[in-house]
Amino acid sequence: MPPKFDPSTVIEVFVRVTGGEVGAASSLAPKIGPLGLSPKKIGEDIAKDTAKDWKGLRVTVKLTVQNRQAKVSVVPSAGALVIKALKEPPRDRKKVKNVKHLGNITMDDVISIARIMAPRSCARDLSGTIKEILGTAQSVGCTVDRAFPRDLCKQIDSGELDVPRK
């Protein structure tokens, strides 16, 4: 039999959800139930915290549980940050399928996203993280400063495009 659960320990649980929507309690129950929390209440808390900034986007949520109290914080992915930078209107994922994110973001947006993602990136310096974000922009389907992201990566490699190191 496993040891008894100590409620004073801090436990982090990561859950992938669609922003602003109450997910199925059945998907939260296996992760949250053993901690003594109500999956339905946690789902409503997640929906409330992700509703204004991340509505309609798939984001990872970090639940910090201590003393049977859960604190919700959003851990955005690079794709979610790029789509958010496009400033598209929120969409209903049940009605609108296979969305093409045709749009344009600025290089300043890419640099600010790279600064947010830098602690989780495997790149040595910020230019490598910027190239990771440009690759994400390529896969999302948007352009950066009206140019294709792959071309900007080649310019960074050759030294034609100056990007900050830190």
Side-chain angles (χ1 to χ4, degrees):
M1 198 164 137
K4 288 298 271 180
F5 171 67
D6 182 19
S8 63
T9 58
V10 178
I11 296 175
E12 293 178 344
V13 179
F14 291 92
V15 183
R16 189 118 166 107
V17 296
T18 302
E21 294 182 15
V22 179
S26 61
S27 64
L28 289 173
K31 291 185 173 190
I32 294 171
L35 304 176
L37 298 169
S38 165
K40 185 177 180 196
K41 182 183 171 299
I42 297 296
E44 290 168 357
D45 289 347
I46 290 171
K48 187 179 73 176
D49 282 8
T50 59
K52 67 175 194 273
D53 288 340
W54 305 99
K55 187 162 179 60
L57 294 176
R58 296 276 295 166
V59 290
T60 304
V61 174
K62 179 171 124 180
L63 298 170
T64 308
V65 180
Q66 185 175 21
N67 295 330
R68 293 186 62 193
Q69 297 292 318
K71 197 175 91 192
V72 178
S73 58
V74 177
V75 184
S77 64
L81 288 168
V82 168
I83 293 170
K84 186 177 174 187
L86 286 170
K87 297 177 181 70
E88 292 180 343
R91 62 182 178 90
D92 185 6
R93 69 184 178 99
K94 292 187 175 98
K95 294 178 184 166
V96 184
K97 301 279 187 198
N98 299 327
V99 174
K100 295 278 185 246
H101 300 283
L102 299 173
N104 187 47
I105 58 175
T106 64
M107 194 63 181
D108 293 333
D109 288 338
V110 171
I111 292 170
S112 66
I113 292 169
R115 287 203 167 107
I116 293 169
M117 296 297 294
R120 292 191 289 155
S121 171
C122 293
R124 273 187 299 200
D125 53 8
L126 191 65
S127 65
T129 310
I130 290 171
K131 288 180 2 184
E132 287 179 11
I133 303 303
L134 286 171
T136 304
Q138 171 85 30
S139 66
V140 164
C142 65
T143 57
V144 179
D145 288 337
R146 302 270 181 247
F148 289 108
R150 189 170 285 159
D151 298 339
L152 293 174
C153 281
K154 289 178 184 171
Q155 289 177 6
I156 291 171
D157 286 339
S158 66
E160 295 174 35
L161 184 66
D162 283 337
V163 293
R165 292 282 171 214
K166 294 265 182 211

